[in-house]
Amino acid sequence: MNQIEMKHVGYQYNKTGEQALIDIDLTIRSGEFVGIVGSNGSGKSTLARLLNVLLEPTEGQVLIGGLDTHKRENVQQIRQKVGMVFQNPDNQLVATKVEDDVAFGLENLGVPSSQIRRRVDRALEQVDMQDYRDFSPHQLSGGQKQRVALAGILAMEPSCIVLDEPTAMLDPRGRKEVMSVVQDLNQQKNITVVYITHVMREASRTDRIIVMSEGKIVRRGQPAPIFADIDFMNKIGLSVPPVTELAVALRKKGLNLPDIMDVDELVKCIC
Amino acid sequence: MHMLIELKNVSYIYEQEPPVTALEKINLNIEPGAFIGLIGHTGSGKTTLVQLLNGLIKPTSGQVIVDGKDIGENKKGLKDIRRRIGLVFQYPEHQLFEETVYRELAFGPKNLGLDKDEIDIRIREALNLIGMDFDKYSDRSPFNLSGGQQRKIALAGVLAMKPGVLILDEPFAGLDPRGRKQLTELLKRLHEQQNISFILISHRMDEISYLATRILALKEGHIVLDGSPAEIFSQPEKLKEIALDIPQLTEILFRLQKKGLEVRSDIFDIEQAADEIIDKLRSRNIC
């Protein structure tokens, strides 16, 4: 089944007249783990905001599980299906206690309190934060805050999660925590993941990447062959992981190597 | 002007219940002209250390000595210290507030009591240093610039004070790869061409290994590693222990060593590393 379908989607900002997205066609299947990369201003955050109707396309159509985001009666259902996690962990937590924060969305939906309890417990377990339920958000590290934000989304039982640079403000430990939780959710719960990132090492762990530049999709496919085109990536303001750069440099010097994005793989190929 | 900074037995304790010791008996000399990479996990004391260095906070015990003078004993001198030791905070662009780039950059020099002509010269110099054209940008609103440009403007604001030491707290956070690369090259150029020492706090080991001449690693308020990038990154187990990464390139070179290919591991440049690998593969001829 197709989770997300974008048909000839354009988006123009009212205020500035700037065309943020131009003729986007994109289909994401249920259970896929898709990375979106692009430099600042390439349109990737705008695209993300179309997926749970924070924005409506000014041209074309966005369908979520077959539901058109233009139709007002679909909006609540779509927002339940598609959860969003943003960059700044401090802007996303509203309550004074972790478990209240996770319950917040459910309370707004009018879910009975016995069910809320169960869903909050389960969501906290899924992000491995069950021991922190009574903590105040300010006692948590950035990575922990992002996992709580993620739990708040999971409690709504979405079929798709969109993450907009969720690790940009985190330290390496926090980055790893968030990435591994997201991978688990995708693999074990079959949740569709759309993961926007500048961190190419994270993008290289997705099934498929979409590369954006100046409002358009300029490349799509498996990460390895796309990253191997370093000149192209640099031209649109992106870098590739050092391991890929090294593999390409070695190839230029005559070593016979495939497209590589992973340290293990490179070491195995050399020795 | 280059400056010498010394820390003698410096401790800092946050007074709260229970008290938290952020730094414990730190002894450290920062030599003029150094480019120091300060690494450590969140909560290791990095930010406390740099706040001590420019007099934003005072040590609970011990001394911070700048060019031979204890900055704790010299209240009048503190303003001068803050001018000479520039601090660029995390997300400094969030603190931009003036209507034009020119006025933004004039703010610091004006506070120093400089006259109009001198302020004008400094603004031109600062924009020149960060590679932004005076005529093109001076009348623009900083808020209409890209995130990377805004960050450079914030940096120029500190450069206009003509500091001898520049401290940058996570300057790469949130920048896209292009912005990161531009800023990295800018810092390298500033260090090579200006008489400024640098202290760079960052989690990004690829950039740190490229820029720094000396790396300090903090853990729980102590300096646990101190040496050149080559020395520091040759101890991957120790870095893992304090929850830090090594640069990916270094990791690859180590892994090849373990497999028996005798490559050097103190190379931080892709081309050089590729040459080294090819070279060693040739001389071995079996792999």
Side-chain angles (χ1 to χ4, degrees), chain B residues 13-256:
Chain B
I13 298 165
Y14 284 97
E15 299 294 345
Q16 58 181 59
E17 256 337 294
V20 175
T21 303
L23 292 173
E24 199 174 351
K25 294 193 178 144
I26 301 281
N27 284 296
L28 176 65
N29 280 352
I30 297 175
E31 65 282 11
F35 197 127
I36 291 185
L38 187 55
I39 61 178
H41 200 255
T42 307
S44 61
K46 306 186 297 282
T47 301
T48 306
L49 181 63
V50 299
Q51 286 177 340
L52 283 167
L53 290 181
N54 91 335
L56 274 178
I57 54 176
K58 281 189 204 157
T60 309
S61 61
Q63 293 173 297
V64 179
I65 299 168
V66 177
D67 282 345
K69 286 183 200 147
D70 184 338
I71 66 171
E73 283 171 6
N74 185 2
K75 268 210 177 126
K76 262 193 279 174
L78 209 52
K79 198 174 162 190
D80 187 47
I81 295 287
R82 287 197 192 135
R83 175 190 75 75
R84 294 166 66 206
I85 304 182
L87 181 55
V88 180
F89 292 102
Q90 287 187 35
Y91 295 92
E93 62 276 16
H94 292 173
Q95 290 163 42
L96 298 177
F97 64 98
E98 287 283 5
E99 278 165 36
T100 66
V101 165
Y102 191 93
R103 288 174 58 176
E104 185 66 50
L105 298 184
F107 182 78
K110 221 184 241 170
N111 277 350
L112 292 180
L114 300 174
D115 66 41
K116 244 178 115 187
D117 292 344
E118 174 66 18
I119 292 174
D120 194 70
I121 291 170
R122 290 207 175 185
I123 291 171
R124 285 169 191 274
E125 278 177 5
L127 281 174
N128 188 36
L129 284 176
I130 61 165
M132 284 172 80
D133 186 59
F134 180 88
D135 293 328
K136 190 169 167 194
Y137 288 105
S138 63
D139 289 333
R140 291 194 44 187
S141 160
F143 301 102
N144 288 335
L145 301 175
S146 75
Q149 287 173 327
Q150 286 185 9
R151 190 160 301 180
K152 285 201 278 187
I153 292 296
L155 175 60
V158 180
L159 288 171
M161 313 281 279
K162 297 213 167 172
V165 178
L166 197 52
I167 303 173
L168 302 128
D169 193 354
E170 295 286 355
F172 305 111
L175 292 184
D176 67 10
R178 188 193 325 235
R180 213 156 57 215
K181 186 145 198 179
Q182 285 174 354
L183 183 60
T184 306
E185 293 305 327
L186 172 61
L187 295 180
K188 192 161 184 83
R189 194 158 43 81
L190 287 174
H191 182 241
E192 283 165 3
Q193 297 173 2
Q194 304 293 312
N195 282 325
I196 304 176
S197 313
F198 281 82
I199 300 173
L200 169 66
I201 298 182
S202 181
H203 293 304
R204 300 196 55 90
M205 298 304 156
D206 296 327
E207 276 80 5
I208 290 244
S209 64
Y210 179 71
L211 287 169
T213 55
R214 177 182 173 194
I215 292 177
L216 297 171
L218 281 176
K219 185 194 180 189
E220 291 164 10
H222 297 268
I223 295 174
V224 289
L225 291 170
D226 180 356
S228 69
E231 286 162 5
I232 298 297
F233 294 125
S234 66
Q235 310 173 58
E237 294 78 20
K238 208 147 187 194
L239 283 166
K240 255 182 205 146
E241 196 185 298
I242 52 179
L244 290 169
D245 287 332
I246 59 174
Q248 198 177 45
L249 190 57
T250 315
E251 189 187 340
I252 293 166
L253 295 170
F254 272 125
R255 296 273 295 275
L256 291 172

Side-chain angles (χ1 to χ4, degrees), chain A residues 226-235 238-241 244-246 248-249 252:
Chain A
I226 291 175
F227 284 164
D229 191 351
I230 294 180
D231 293 339
F232 177 77
M233 295 296 275
N234 287 342
K235 203 179 91 202
L238 295 175
S239 60
V240 302
T244 306
E245 255 185 279
L246 181 62
V248 171
K252 277 189 189 150

Side-chain angles (χ1 to χ4, degrees), chain A residues 39-40 169 171-173 176 198 201 236-237 239 241-243 245-246 249-250 253 255 263-264 267 270-271, chain B residues 41-42 91 175-178 180 203 206 243 245 248-249 252 255-256 259 270-271 274-275 277-278 281 287:
Chain A
S39 63
N40 289 339
M169 298 177 84
D171 64 17
R173 183 187 294 176
K176 276 181 204 147
H198 280 150
R201 288 195 214 179
I236 60 165
S239 60
V243 59
E245 255 185 279
L246 181 62
L250 287 168
K253 294 178 199 292
L255 214 59
V263 172
D264 290 339
V267 171
I270 293 177
C271 279
Chain B
H41 200 255
T42 307
Y91 295 92
L175 292 184
D176 67 10
R178 188 193 325 235
R180 213 156 57 215
H203 293 304
D206 296 327
D245 287 332
Q248 198 177 45
L249 190 57
I252 293 166
R255 296 273 295 275
L256 291 172
K259 284 243 187 159
I270 299 275
E271 282 299 314
D275 284 337
I277 292 169
I278 297 275
L281 281 175
C287 220

Side-chain angles (χ1 to χ4, degrees), chain A residues 23-38:
Chain A
D23 200 21
I24 302 282
D25 274 304
L26 175 65
T27 302
I28 295 175
R29 290 182 308 279
S30 232
E32 260 196 294
F33 190 161
V34 174
I36 301 185
V37 300

Side-chain angles (χ1 to χ4, degrees), chain A:
Chain A
M1 193 190 108
N2 292 332
Q3 178 82 40
I4 295 166
E5 270 178 279
M6 304 183 97
K7 294 179 183 168
H8 300 292
V9 166
Y11 188 83
Q12 186 167 23
Y13 280 96
N14 235 337
K15 247 180 24 201
T16 57
E18 181 202 350
Q19 189 77 33
L21 294 173
I22 303 160
D23 200 21
I24 302 282
D25 274 304
L26 175 65
T27 302
I28 295 175
R29 290 182 308 279
S30 232
E32 260 196 294
F33 190 161
V34 174
I36 301 185
V37 300
S39 63
N40 289 339
S42 62
K44 51 195 195 320
S45 292
T46 306
L47 190 149
R49 281 162 177 71
L50 295 173
L51 300 179
N52 81 337
V53 217
L54 287 174
L55 298 173
E56 271 183 60
T58 48
E59 286 164 64
Q61 216 185 8
V62 177
L63 302 172
I64 305 294
L67 300 172
D68 189 337
T69 65
H70 276 309
K71 294 201 174 122
R72 190 159 286 252
E73 66 267 27
N74 290 339
V75 172
Q76 199 186 1
Q77 210 185 334
I78 291 172
R79 292 215 175 120
Q80 238 172 291
K81 271 182 202 276
V82 181
M84 282 204 68
V85 177
F86 297 96
Q87 187 179 107
N88 192 338
D90 292 317
N91 292 347
Q92 297 178 74
L93 306 184
V94 289
T96 51
K97 231 163 88 177
V98 164
E99 63 178 356
D100 295 344
D101 209 283
V102 178
F104 184 78
L106 296 176
E107 280 162 3
N108 279 354
L109 282 182
V111 175
S113 56
S114 60
Q115 249 194 60
I116 289 183
R117 179 97 209 173
R118 217 181 52 232
R119 280 161 75 165
V120 168
D121 285 348
R122 198 164 51 202
L124 282 170
E125 263 167 46
Q126 283 171 3
V127 300
D128 199 20
M129 284 295 289
Q130 61 276 26
D131 297 337
Y132 295 86
R133 53 184 321 133
D134 294 323
F135 278 57
S136 158
H138 80 260
Q139 293 170 290
L140 305 179
S141 72
Q144 289 172 331
K145 283 180 199 168
Q146 284 300 55
R147 279 149 64 199
V148 172
L150 200 49
I153 304 290
L154 288 171
M156 311 285 279
E157 299 177 346
S159 53
C160 176
I161 301 178
V162 179
L163 303 103
D164 191 358
E165 293 191 47
T167 63
M169 298 177 84
L170 305 183
D171 64 17
R173 183 187 294 176
R175 253 183 248 150
K176 276 181 204 147
E177 286 171 9
V178 169
M179 189 66 190
S180 85
V181 165
V182 172
Q183 276 187 314
D184 279 356
L185 291 172
N186 174 253
Q187 282 160 13
Q188 286 161 25
K189 309 274 163 202
N190 207 32
I191 293 177
T192 312
V193 176
V194 179
Y195 195 98
I196 296 174
T197 182
H198 280 150
V199 185
M200 295 298 148
R201 288 195 214 179
E202 292 178 356
S204 68
R205 288 159 72 175
T206 61
D207 300 334
R208 179 160 74 109
I209 59 169
I210 308 291
V211 183
M212 297 194 65
S213 176
E214 295 173 354
K216 294 181 196 151
I217 295 177
V218 290
R219 287 279 193 284
R220 54 178 100 203
Q222 286 184 3
I226 291 175
F227 284 164
D229 191 351
I230 294 180
D231 293 339
F232 177 77
M233 295 296 275
N234 287 342
K235 203 179 91 202
I236 60 165
L238 295 175
S239 60
V240 302
V243 59
T244 306
E245 255 185 279
L246 181 62
V248 171
L250 287 168
R251 203 148 63 181
K252 277 189 189 150
K253 294 178 199 292
L255 214 59
N256 187 15
L257 292 170
D259 296 329
I260 286 174
M261 285 181 322
D262 181 84
V263 172
D264 290 339
E265 212 183 323
L266 180 66
V267 171
K268 217 171 10 178
C269 285
I270 293 177
C271 279

